[in-house]
Amino acid sequence: MNTSWAQLLNDIGACTSCRLCEKRTQPVPGEGRPDAALMFIGEGPGRDEDLQGRPFVGASGQLLDRMIHAIGMDRTDVYIANVVKCRPPLNRNPEPDEAAACLPFLRRQFVLVRPKVIVLLGKVACRYVLNDERPISLLRGSWVQKKNVWFMPTYHPSALLRDPSKKREAWEDFKAVRQKLKELSGDE
Ligand code: URA
């Protein structure tokens, strides 16, 4: 399979593999540093993302930006993607067949970026990336290592907007990510 960025963006733009293509304004492939050490994976585009073609640009994206800043980085230092590239109607969760149709794109992004650490934002990302159906409140805060990649499940920013009392735990998770990146770069 051709895994160049140009080919990948082209394939995502032309994709009609699932019903989500019918209602999208445009797909939202993802964005950021092409060789980022840190990658974020959300669920799928919302309304603002569907209109702009960029991930996490609405209210939850603004909170994500602030959290990325709080660990001393910004959007241009990381890569941000979603499980599905097209907006699910009314922001419902992606169905298993939709996620299955779209996951090959995420795998290709992973192959191109080669991140060392991946933050999984919310239950949907954990379900489809780790095949773990447990509640995010149980999964968050514990590292999962697979083939030399470190996964940190944490709350989705929209959950933090709904329930700000969860922000303290999310901040713990982000601090653990900052520490892990330091360790992995030998800069402890
Ligand atoms: N929520 C997500 O999971 N992804 C986005 O890109 C925006 C909101």
Side-chain angles (χ1 to χ4, degrees):
M1 182 193 297
N2 188 324
T3 52
S4 79
W5 282 109
Q7 186 66 51
L8 176 58
L9 293 179
N10 198 59
D11 292 350
I12 292 173
C15 183
T16 54
S17 300
C18 84
R19 64 188 81 76
L20 295 183
C21 70
E22 292 162 16
K23 299 242 164 81
R24 71 181 177 214
T25 306
Q26 58 196 315
V28 179
E31 68 179 27
R33 186 175 161 140
D35 61 347
L38 176 59
M39 182 166 176
F40 290 85
I41 301 178
E43 188 175 313
R47 185 173 153 276
D48 296 304
E49 292 77 19
D50 172 72
L51 291 172
Q52 293 188 41
R54 298 179 55 211
F56 282 99
V57 288
S60 60
Q62 285 161 21
L63 177 55
L64 179 62
D65 282 348
R66 289 203 294 279
M67 296 171 82
I68 293 172
H69 284 151
I71 56 167
M73 304 176 96
D74 72 32
R75 251 180 200 254
T76 58
D77 297 316
V78 305
Y79 192 85
I80 304 177
N82 281 304
V83 169
V84 292
K85 310 307 189 209
C86 298
R87 183 191 184 198
L90 303 172
N91 297 343
R92 65 162 170 75
N93 288 346
E95 301 286 347
D97 64 323
E98 295 160 353
C102 216
L103 279 170
F105 291 137
L106 188 61
R107 284 191 206 103
R108 286 167 68 185
Q109 287 173 310
F110 173 77
V111 166
L112 287 164
V113 178
R114 283 275 149 223
K116 295 182 175 138
V117 175
I118 297 182
V119 176
L120 297 170
L121 298 166
K123 181 178 166 66
V124 169
C126 293
R127 173 178 184 191
Y128 291 118
V129 175
L130 297 178
N131 286 320
D132 198 323
E133 303 265 357
R134 286 177 294 167
I136 190 66
S137 54
L138 276 182
L139 295 175
R140 64 141 291 273
S142 297
W143 288 107
V144 177
Q145 189 186 16
K146 286 195 178 183
K147 296 189 190 154
N148 253 1
V149 180
W150 294 86
F151 294 85
M152 173 55 79
T154 192
Y155 293 115
H156 192 284
S158 63
L160 303 178
L161 291 173
R162 281 194 302 272
D163 178 1
S165 72
K166 293 190 165 92
K167 283 186 182 173
R168 195 187 51 76
E169 288 173 309
W171 176 231
E172 293 303 317
D173 302 342
F174 271 66
K175 282 193 292 187
V177 166
R178 180 174 64 187
Q179 180 62 26
K180 181 66 76 185
L181 287 167
K182 257 192 195 176
E183 287 167 16
L184 294 174
S185 70
D187 172 29
E188 210 181 349

